[in-house]
Amino acid sequence: MESRERLGRWRWVVERTLGWIHRFRRLRIRHARRAGIHQAFLSLACSLICWRYAERVLLGALKHRLFRAGGNDGFEVGCRKAA
């Protein structure tokens, strides 16, 4: 039996993820009669959540790398070089 200190430690991860899924209006109330359509929208929502999370993490790491290097070390991040 686990101690009471560990109870609820990981529960908020599930609650947060369900909150992210419920941001998609199509999934709040099940409009689709067929389970396959609902499953497709659920998969799409999870894919978008993972993509946005990965994009945020990767861009954060890239910005950190550029900041540590003291500017632009050969990377052009969405902007043009000043002539």
Side-chain angles (χ1 to χ4, degrees):
M1 183 170 162
E2 295 186 31
S3 68
R4 289 182 176 218
E5 295 170 354
R6 293 189 55 151
L7 289 176
R9 179 181 288 184
W10 297 106
R11 182 176 178 190
W12 65 273
V13 175
V14 174
E15 291 172 349
R16 177 190 65 190
T17 306
L18 290 175
W20 289 343
I21 289 173
H22 281 284
R23 287 184 189 168
F24 293 89
R25 281 185 241 150
R26 183 86 182 215
L27 294 173
R28 278 191 202 153
I29 300 173
R30 185 172 173 176
H31 297 287
R33 293 179 187 221
R34 294 190 343 216
I37 293 173
H38 184 72
Q39 181 64 39
F41 279 111
L42 184 61
S43 298
L44 180 62
C46 291
S47 299
L48 286 171
I49 289 169
C50 290
W51 176 264
R52 291 173 185 165
Y53 181 78
E55 188 177 43
R56 188 180 74 208
V57 169
L58 292 175
L59 284 178
L62 181 61
K63 286 179 184 178
H64 179 71
R65 180 178 174 190
L66 289 173
F67 180 74
R68 278 190 30 207
N72 190 351
D73 61 347
F75 290 102
E76 293 296 325
V77 183
C79 59
R80 298 179 187 192
K81 263 189 169 176

